[in-house]
Amino acid sequence: MKGDPVFRKQFSEVEDACALAQAMVDTVREPLIVLDKDLRVVAASRSFYVKFSADPSNTRGKRFYELGDRDWDIPKLRLLLEEIIPNQSPMAEYEVEHDFPRIGRRVMLLNACIVRYEKAHTNILIGIEDITVQRGLESDKDDLLRQKDVLLDELQHRVANSLQIIASIIMMKAKSVESEETRRHLRDAHTRLISVAAVQEHLHASAGIGSMEMQPYLTKLCEALAHSMIAEHQSISLRVLGQGGRATCRDAESLGLIVTELVINALKHAFKPGTQNGQIAVSYEVSGTDWKLSVVDNGVGKPDGVFAQPKSGLGTGIVKALAKQLDSQVNTLSGPRGTTVTVTHATFAGGEAKSQAVA
């Protein structure tokens, strides 16, 4: 602009240029202050005087760090300003927190740069942004998040205790009833509660991440199922195989409940009394956005490929509902060497529709 003849002609007088400069400073919404090379105030915007309740007559000509009750006498800030002139380096978003006698505590971001003129004249421009409200909102948000975490921990603790108490009551009832059918249903309910408790415990540990590794999750779940359902005299093993992969916590919860139902079904229907070397293997595989959950046993199976559990059973309904939530298909292959149940989510899953699905 200094080479523009029109500009030079219109503002040839120093007074005119000063008036323009002051008008520009006053137009700025955020407080703005202009210093000379000795850090004395040359000019300040109207917003500066209003914001900090400053008196213009007691501001101009004073050093920046002497303003007010030496409100700006901050050693690190003075050092930064004094380095701007020799180094010609701007100061960007330097945060200052201070208690001002007139306006209270404020958090501000300071931006400063040096302006050099033709005759070795130098000024420093300092812009001041008040972020007190933003910092307060951030602090309130952090407090709310901490409170939420405390409440979730307490809720998790109470849910875990409640599940354990209910499971214990159910097991006591199972031991006292005379009906074998009722006892079997109560034991099934006990097993489901134990597995849900294991699912919730692992999900809670991964809640802050948003996703979780399925291998350790399924391993912990299967350990809980084996402990509650496989008696010492039974020669049946329950293992988790494969490389695993990650799933969102929400999907992992549904997958864990599906595994629970399929394992319960295999333990109830796949093995004859006295079976030796019975095996159930659980695996979870991921390929891009596709995944497949498998539960395989080496039990008696069924030659016609029909799922061993009754089609109207509770477990079948649970698996179907959960699979629908996951936008996946459930397929069963059953034969003399055992049964394989897969739950598959695939972008192109049409080819698998020909497999026998759970009805």
Side-chain angles (χ1 to χ4, degrees):
M1 187 178 290
K2 64 183 181 181
D4 189 339
V6 177
F7 182 85
R8 282 181 172 274
K9 181 178 179 181
Q10 186 167 358
F11 300 103
S12 57
E13 298 295 330
V14 174
E15 292 80 2
D16 293 341
C18 288
L20 174 63
Q22 184 63 55
M24 293 173 67
V25 168
D26 284 337
T27 304
V28 178
R29 241 180 114 180
E30 298 293 344
L32 179 67
I33 194 165
V34 183
L35 309 177
D36 64 15
K37 62 184 179 63
D38 297 319
L39 303 184
R40 294 183 184 276
V41 178
V42 176
S45 66
R46 186 179 294 108
S47 55
F48 176 84
Y49 294 121
V50 173
K51 183 72 177 180
F52 298 101
S53 301
D55 182 4
S57 62
N58 197 32
T59 300
R60 294 192 187 96
K62 281 199 169 185
R63 294 182 185 276
F64 181 64
Y65 47 80
E66 293 175 346
L67 297 180
D69 297 322
R70 302 187 73 87
D71 296 333
W72 304 97
D73 190 7
I74 303 170
K76 187 176 180 180
L77 177 59
R78 287 181 62 177
L79 181 63
L80 287 171
L81 290 175
E82 289 167 358
E83 287 181 351
I84 286 178
I85 295 176
N87 297 330
Q88 300 187 35
S89 56
M91 180 178 70
E93 297 189 347
Y94 175 67
E95 187 168 320
V96 176
E97 186 172 353
H98 188 73
D99 281 318
F100 292 88
R102 296 183 181 86
I103 63 174
R105 191 166 193 82
R106 289 291 184 271
V107 183
M108 295 160 291
L109 290 180
L110 272 61
N111 293 276
C113 68
I114 188 170
V115 180
R116 290 187 177 276
Y117 305 98
E118 291 180 343
K119 298 182 180 180
H121 186 62
T122 300
N123 282 127
I124 299 174
L125 273 62
I126 302 177
I128 304 170
E129 180 185 0
D130 188 345
I131 59 169
T132 307
V133 174
Q134 293 94 310
R135 286 290 184 267
L137 292 174
E138 290 172 4
S139 178
D140 291 343
K141 181 191 72 174
D142 292 340
D143 289 341
L144 288 173
L145 289 174
R146 282 191 291 269
Q147 292 176 22
K148 183 205 74 172
D149 290 339
V150 171
L151 290 173
L152 285 176
D153 286 340
E154 178 63 22
L155 179 62
Q156 172 66 19
H157 179 69
R158 293 192 179 191
V159 168
N161 285 345
S162 298
L163 289 173
Q164 292 293 338
I165 292 171
I166 295 170
S168 299
I169 293 173
I170 289 176
M171 185 53 68
M172 289 173 59
K173 289 293 185 182
K175 293 178 179 178
S176 63
V177 297
E178 295 182 359
S179 169
E180 182 60 34
E181 182 179 0
T182 302
R183 186 180 297 112
R184 185 175 67 253
H185 289 317
L186 287 172
R187 285 175 176 167
D188 287 349
H190 173 266
T191 300
R192 287 187 172 98
L193 277 172
I194 293 298
S195 66
V196 168
V199 167
Q200 291 299 321
E201 180 182 356
H202 210 89
L203 288 173
H204 179 68
S206 304
I209 305 174
S211 65
M212 61 191 302
E213 287 288 346
M214 291 296 292
Q215 194 79 358
Y217 166 62
L218 293 176
T219 299
K220 186 176 182 64
L221 174 60
C222 288
E223 287 174 352
L225 289 171
H227 179 74
S228 61
M229 288 203 68
I230 301 177
E232 293 184 3
H233 67 275
Q234 290 181 294
S235 178
I236 300 174
S237 65
L238 174 57
R239 298 180 299 162
V240 177
L241 306 176
Q243 298 299 316
R246 298 191 70 86
T248 65
C249 288
R250 182 176 180 179
D251 287 353
E253 183 176 12
S254 297
L255 291 167
L257 295 175
I258 289 175
V259 168
T260 297
E261 294 304 325
L262 294 178
V263 169
I264 289 175
N265 177 76
L267 289 171
K268 288 171 62 176
H269 300 287
F271 304 105
K272 296 179 179 179
T275 294
Q276 297 296 315
N277 196 30
Q279 297 178 15
I280 302 174
V282 177
S283 65
Y284 179 78
E285 303 170 13
V286 175
S287 176
T289 58
D290 300 337
W291 53 261
K292 181 172 73 174
L293 173 71
S294 302
V295 178
V296 181
D297 68 65
N298 65 345
V300 294
K302 294 193 72 174
D304 58 4
V306 178
F307 190 32
Q309 189 174 3
K311 294 183 179 181
S312 60
L314 174 63
T316 301
I318 292 174
V319 170
K320 287 173 62 178
L322 292 171
K324 185 176 181 180
Q325 288 180 4
L326 294 168
D327 190 24
S328 59
Q329 294 182 357
V330 183
N331 298 292
T332 302
L333 293 175
S334 186
R337 296 184 179 182
T339 300
T340 298
V341 182
T342 59
V343 182
T344 307
H345 172 85
T347 306
F348 303 100
E352 299 197 21
K354 297 179 181 179
S355 301
Q356 179 67 38
V358 178

